[in-house]
Amino acid sequence: MKKTVTEIRESQVKISDAFWSRIQEKVIDVVIPFQEKVLHDEVPGVEKSHAIENFRIAAGLSQGEFYGMVFQDSDVAKWLEGVAYSLAVRPDPGLEARTDGIIEIIEKAQQPDGYLDTYFIIKEPEHRWQNLHECHELYCAGHMMEAAAAYYRVTGKDRLLHVVERLADHIIGRFGPEEEKEHGFPGHQEVEIGLLKLYHITGKEKYKDMARYFLEERGKNPDYFYEEKIKRGWSHWGQYSTEKLDVSYNQAHQTIYEQKEAVGHAVRALYMYTAMADLAGTDGDDRLYKACRTLWDNIVNQKLYITGGIGGDSEGEAFAGNYELPNDMAYAETCASIAMIFFAHHMLEMDMDGAYADIIEKELYNSTISGMQMDGKQYFYVNPLECEPGVSGRLFGYRHALPTRPGWYACACCPPNLIRLITSLGKYCFSESDSTIYSHLMIGQKAELGKADIRVETSYPWEGKTEYFIMPKTKEEFTLAVHIPYYVDVNRRETSLTVNGEEMNLPELVKKGYAYITRKWEKGDTLCLQFPMEARKVYANQHVREDAGCVAILRGPMVYCLEGADNGELIQSLRIPKEMRAVPYTCEEGILKGNTLLKIDGFRMVGSEELYSEKPPVKEKTVLTAIPYYAWTNRGENQMRVWIQEE
Amino acid sequence: MKKTVTEIRESQVKISDAFWSRIQEKVIDVVIPFQEKVLHDEVPGVEKSHAIENFRIAAGLSQGEFYGMVFQDSDVAKWLEGVAYSLAVRPDPGLEARTDGIIEIIEKAQQPDGYLDTYFIIKEPEHRWQNLHECHELYCAGHMMEAAAAYYRVTGKDRLLHVVERLADHIIGRFGPEEEKEHGFPGHQEVEIGLLKLYHITGKEKYKDMARYFLEERGKNPDYFYEEKIKRGWSHWGQYSTEKLDVSYNQAHQTIYEQKEAVGHAVRALYMYTAMADLAGTDGDDRLYKACRTLWDNIVNQKLYITGGIGGDSEGEAFAGNYELPNDMAYAETCASIAMIFFAHHMLEMDMDGAYADIIEKELYNSTISGMQMDGKQYFYVNPLECEPGVSGRLFGYRHALPTRPGWYACACCPPNLIRLITSLGKYCFSESDSTIYSHLMIGQKAELGKADIRVETSYPWEGKTEYFIMPKTKEEFTLAVHIPYYVDVNRRETSLTVNGEEMNLPELVKKGYAYITRKWEKGDTLCLQFPMEARKVYANQHVREDAGCVAILRGPMVYCLEGADNGELIQSLRIPKEMRAVPYTCEEGILKGNTLLKIDGFRMVGSEELYSEKPPVKEKTVLTAIPYYAWTNRGENQMRVWIQEE
């Protein structure tokens, strides 16, 4: 399954959308400047980052000790990547100049042999590359490669690109299949993605080969990290022991071809799957595609929360077993959902199946942006599907699942990951092949594509009307393929696809989730997709213990939830009737202004005052208010549930 | 509320009961001999106990180091107590002789000043009494006092009694309200119970006064343990820090009169409440009674599992918040349920309210004996109300809740606690006051009481027929008060109380859960209580998040559960109809032989294969089999649920 499409550059798309523009603005106006200050240790009350200072010390521009996590460098890299995309969204010469300054420091910090990791440059130069299992040197390298690729793609500036090429060459010089080289691979996958991005820009096969090497070496010797530890005779963190390690946490227990179940640390896993899918599509490697597909199917059919959340096991931020999806104890890390988009995007490039675009949508509108407070100032790492004040964030087993978004964390992974996702959103809207323009997402925008410029106007995600205004650049016939979300019934009379007002036979046009319209497009041609948007009740598989007897309410791509703020106490005593009547309305005031909420005729079970009683609870009619899940806990700490019992 | 009844001695009652005799036999034939071997380090494959060897070393009879937990002595004490009661159930001269031998060693281990704790005698003699918070010296002392009291009550032998009197005097010499004494109290309550038992036997006020001192000193200075730590400048276990301690775990955050909510470590709490209730009744102390009642009400109305399990927070084996009763993550320690019986028993002695006897029943038939495998060879510390193989006992948050009973633990608290409960069961059957004999439990037995000998024959807990055959020892009129369980409707025609076949007006006779029959009893008088026993559906309070939409099935005192062994996979997809039809039947073979099981016409929800689907699951009729909760997981690891969704 070779990729048949080329990736859209971030700068080809300008988003102008009622829903997304607000979020992009928050990220650009609030999060990027805030993180810039954090990286420079300029925010009082936020734990010192020291990340840029570490680079300055490593560069000899400052005196001092390394401070922070061993992967502190990656905070700078992720911010740089986000800044790059943000400059495509909204040019900012001041920000760009400051960024160039930081890149200069990074360049100076790089060692003559190409090595670049401030922890080891400053603190343990003699221990470089001796602890791939825990020390994140390759992880930091990968993020810097991604940053360099992004900055080059948007600005055309190649200074950081040259830095990471030298770094990549240094890595290639040390690791690889050759006998004289070390046969290692990273404890936290990421460098594989970075190397592939470097390949896509430079076309240099050695980077792709190195990515393949790291992927395929993984799990060949499941004891590699153990042997590495015994060889060096010491441990960085925690107690040194000679016990064997459970490397399924690092997806190093089997080769990538043998792995049939998504296990271990979710972000590590999804970064690996992302690189696997990119490489499979780049090389047209069917065996690798199948490996990706197996893992994809396992996630989507057994391990994905309805919100797109990933990771049912908070210990190790990890996948739990099949169908093990606890709601109040969910981990569902924001970063894992973001990484799922990366994975899906590469799968989609190989196989234009709407199922992949559906997952991108699910992630975008739910478990990714739920990581950010409406004001852009507070962030969730963990995105539970149920919250119980007094228990969530406090009791054993629930301590990770906070009831409200806290501010900046010392370990800043999720907010910068959100920055780079939201600022590069344009990239996920379209793909283009020789014959076809694919529209994956219904987001208002202007796109400058190869065969046409397209302006999109939409009422999505609140209503199902999207118009594409096409300005072809060619007189030849080409195809516009528009993604039809999985929940749209193309056979309904209310669903329509028109070109210049003329209704097309939609059911005939749809193949695997895309409607294909092939014609000689004329300047000003307008394609309009319309479908009714109704609240839907969704049931979980009976294997999902935690959702038994419950339904989730969805409307369009949005998962809804009930919060105490609207529904009073004891959310668990609320019931959705089997025949549901839900009325959507636009919230006119407060923090949720502009969101479509739902009024649902439901019930409240009112029971005995006793702890236990033979008296059945009485069903009282009540009107429930459901809000989009992503917006939960923006009105203070309160109860929340996505899965509501049916009655 | 002064106690108006005298406690029955263990030897006054001989149990002869289809249900309980089997369990008593298992305890006497299997558990006591097994633990004896463990205490002597004679069981291959079981972690060394060293408990008796510690006493031998302390006594100078052996050379070596202390080994085991700091409270290892209490294993010997609890076993001794159990042995004492077992000798009342079934005399065993060999066992008694061996026990005398152990008591001799204990006596020799006691120091000239009365001190007795082998950890400190052997290992840290200079550190005696410096760490009341963590070191369990008073806890071990309390258990030895209980053992001595029991052994004296049953055998009349006072050697151990004199040992613990000297120990108690030593403690009284060191701690107390006097200025020159230390104003301490134990980190783990228990000595208060022991001191009161010593008082009840010896009549010496000083022991009761000391119990009161420990109870009332508690929480007066919530920083006592902190100050103790700072004063000694070191810590026994864990890191030494100068941070303040959360002593609500030890119920030392407030005085016993200020405490309104049952918090912290459940066994510590319930041992304290037990001593409080004993003291309140002994002294007729209304203020103390009210303190007990407040805590009782909090447990029974907000914190008690339907099985009688106590402790919703596995971290710290502790009470969780009000209504926070997770089923699959329950702690519900066997010891805590046993301690709840102790507490209830003393409350009952003050106030003959059937509600207390109901709780004793609930505990006896459910969350205590669920701690023991049918064969008596394996034990649960944790008694969850839901089990999911692959998750229970394995995943973070569930690791304490094992899916099957393991063998002997190194920290042997629950099995010896079960021994002493089961062997002393007779004590809980009757109380006697000047005017009245109270029957609390329907257990087949012969009881030699003050005013009469009574033989009880019963089909309980499987059917509701109990006969009392009375042999009065007095010609005077006296009252027989028979506990009527809370679930019995005395107004139903099928419910009857007859004396010599003549039906009494039961509703008129009943006061606070007891039917009072006053007459001049004649030799051979027969009282017969009969009530229909039907499966009951019980609903939890709407505040209990984990039981929302569910029902529990009870019949008589028994809580039932559904297991995979009978009901196939996906127990969570099973439903109990609103109008339930349940047919009881006696299990005729296998490990559950003799138990009454239930066949219930129910449903299985069969849903889509997909992880999420808009297609509602289909209700299929099925016959469910429910078994008594206490007997769960006797047929291998499988799914189990007490709370089943209603449909």
Side-chain angles (χ1 to χ4, degrees), chain B residues 17 19-20 23 296 300 304-310 337-346 348 353-370 421-422 425 427-430 439-445 456 458-466 468 482-488 513-514 529 531-533 536 554-560 628-630:
Chain B
D17 182 89
F19 186 82
W20 285 107
I23 297 177
W296 173 273
V300 168
L304 191 68
Y305 283 99
I306 184 95
T307 54
I310 289 174
S337 285
I338 292 171
M340 186 70 180
I341 295 178
F342 302 157
F343 183 24
H345 185 54
H346 286 305
L348 189 57
D353 185 332
Y356 298 115
D358 287 327
I359 293 292
I360 293 177
E361 267 210 343
K362 180 184 274 297
E363 300 292 358
L364 278 178
Y365 289 98
N366 300 288
S367 204
T368 54
I369 55 172
S370 61
L421 174 73
I422 301 297
L425 194 55
K427 178 163 79 177
Y428 302 97
C429 293
F430 284 101
S439 163
H440 307 307
L441 299 171
M442 286 170 272
I443 295 178
Q445 62 191 296
V456 183
T458 186
S459 54
Y460 212 66
W462 307 124
E463 299 302 335
K465 182 178 180 188
T466 305
Y468 297 81
V482 177
H483 174 227
I484 312 290
Y486 72 99
Y487 57 82
V488 173
Y514 284 83
L529 174 66
F531 51 84
M533 210 178 256
R536 317 188 300 280
L554 281 74
R555 185 172 180 276
M558 289 286 181
V559 176
Y560 280 74
Y629 167 74
Y630 87 90

Side-chain angles (χ1 to χ4, degrees), chain A residues 77 132 136 151 161 163 184 215 297 430 463 578 621 628 635:
Chain A
L132 298 190
H136 291 71
Y151 205 66
L161 190 66
V163 169
L215 289 171
D297 286 344
F430 284 100
E463 298 302 334
K578 297 214 168 166
K621 282 190 181 178
R635 295 168 297 173

Side-chain angles (χ1 to χ4, degrees), chain B residues 262-446:
Chain B
V263 295
H265 185 260
V267 172
R268 281 172 163 83
L270 284 160
Y271 282 4
M272 180 172 91
Y273 309 156
T274 297
M276 285 164 63
D278 188 1
L279 183 59
T282 302
D283 282 356
D285 180 338
D286 282 350
R287 185 176 173 223
L288 194 48
Y289 166 76
K290 268 184 209 141
C292 292
R293 181 73 207 201
T294 299
L295 293 161
W296 173 273
D297 286 344
N298 177 241
I299 296 173
V300 168
N301 297 329
Q302 268 104 32
K303 298 199 173 186
L304 191 68
Y305 283 99
I306 184 95
T307 54
I310 289 174
D313 186 357
S314 66
E315 191 184 45
E317 309 172 333
F319 285 103
N322 286 337
Y323 302 110
E324 193 54 35
L325 296 162
N327 293 310
D328 49 6
M329 290 171 69
Y331 201 76
E333 186 179 343
T334 307
C335 288
S337 285
I338 292 171
M340 186 70 180
I341 295 178
F342 302 157
F343 183 24
H345 185 54
H346 286 305
M347 293 300 281
L348 189 57
E349 286 178 324
M350 283 187 275
D351 178 11
M352 284 292 153
D353 185 332
Y356 298 115
D358 287 327
I359 293 292
I360 293 177
E361 267 210 343
K362 180 184 274 297
E363 300 292 358
L364 278 178
Y365 289 98
N366 300 288
S367 204
T368 54
I369 55 172
S370 61
M372 193 169 86
Q373 193 80 349
M374 285 289 185
D375 64 7
K377 290 181 181 162
Q378 293 170 298
Y379 316 92
F380 267 143
Y381 285 51
V382 171
N383 297 278
L385 285 77
E386 179 177 354
C387 173
E388 177 73 11
V391 173
S392 300
R394 292 180 61 186
L395 220 63
F396 175 70
Y398 305 90
R399 222 157 267 148
H400 58 287
L402 305 177
T404 52
R405 296 173 188 86
W408 204 262
Y409 290 54
C411 171
C413 69
C414 297
N417 238 336
L418 265 176
I419 295 178
R420 63 174 181 151
L421 174 73
I422 301 297
T423 51
S424 67
L425 194 55
K427 178 163 79 177
Y428 302 97
C429 293
F430 284 101
S431 299
E432 196 167 0
S433 73
D434 287 347
S435 63
T436 309
I437 294 173
Y438 294 90
S439 163
H440 307 307
L441 299 171
M442 286 170 272
I443 295 178
Q445 62 191 296
K446 286 181 187 167

Side-chain angles (χ1 to χ4, degrees), chain A residues 257-472:
Chain A
Y257 301 108
E258 290 163 334
Q259 294 185 34
K260 307 296 178 204
E261 187 180 344
V263 295
H265 185 260
V267 172
R268 280 171 165 83
L270 283 160
Y271 281 5
M272 180 172 91
Y273 309 157
T274 297
M276 285 163 64
D278 189 1
L279 183 60
T282 302
D283 281 356
D285 180 338
D286 282 351
R287 186 177 172 222
L288 193 49
Y289 166 77
K290 269 183 209 142
C292 293
R293 181 72 206 201
T294 298
L295 292 161
W296 174 273
D297 286 344
N298 177 241
I299 296 173
V300 168
N301 297 328
Q302 268 104 34
K303 299 200 172 184
L304 191 67
Y305 283 99
I306 185 94
T307 55
I310 289 175
D313 186 358
S314 66
E315 190 183 45
E317 309 172 334
F319 284 104
N322 286 338
Y323 301 111
E324 193 53 36
L325 296 162
N327 293 310
D328 49 7
M329 291 170 70
Y331 201 77
E333 186 179 344
T334 308
C335 288
S337 285
I338 292 170
M340 187 70 180
I341 295 178
F342 302 158
F343 182 25
H345 186 54
H346 286 304
M347 293 300 281
L348 189 57
E349 286 177 324
M350 282 187 275
D351 177 11
M352 283 293 152
D353 185 333
Y356 297 116
D358 288 326
I359 293 292
I360 293 176
E361 266 210 343
K362 179 184 276 297
E363 299 292 359
L364 278 178
Y365 289 99
N366 299 287
S367 204
T368 53
I369 56 173
S370 61
M372 193 169 86
Q373 193 79 350
M374 284 290 185
D375 64 7
K377 290 180 180 165
Q378 292 170 298
Y379 317 91
F380 268 142
Y381 285 51
V382 171
N383 297 276
L385 284 78
E386 178 176 355
C387 173
E388 177 73 11
V391 173
S392 299
R394 293 181 59 186
L395 219 63
F396 175 69
Y398 305 88
R399 221 157 268 150
H400 59 286
L402 305 177
T404 53
R405 294 174 189 85
W408 204 261
Y409 290 54
C411 171
C413 68
C414 296
N417 237 336
L418 265 176
I419 296 176
R420 65 175 179 150
L421 173 74
I422 300 296
T423 51
S424 67
L425 193 56
K427 178 162 79 176
Y428 302 97
C429 294
F430 284 100
S431 298
E432 195 166 1
S433 73
D434 287 349
S435 62
T436 309
I437 294 172
Y438 294 91
S439 162
H440 307 307
L441 299 170
M442 285 171 274
I443 295 179
Q445 62 192 296
K446 286 183 188 169
E448 294 177 5
L449 305 172
K451 284 176 278 298
D453 289 349
I454 299 180
R455 183 163 57 83
V456 183
E457 286 185 9
T458 186
S459 54
Y460 211 66
W462 307 124
E463 298 302 334
K465 182 178 180 188
T466 305
E467 287 173 293
Y468 297 80
F469 301 97
I470 295 131
M471 298 289 280

Side-chain angles (χ1 to χ4, degrees), chain A residues 603-623:
Chain A
F603 302 107
R604 176 180 287 277
M605 306 306 285
V606 178
S608 159
E609 286 294 303
E610 295 168 273
L611 182 51
Y612 303 111
S613 163
E614 288 183 46
K615 214 175 125 197
V618 175
K619 227 160 101 169
E620 290 187 358
K621 282 190 181 178
T622 187
V623 177

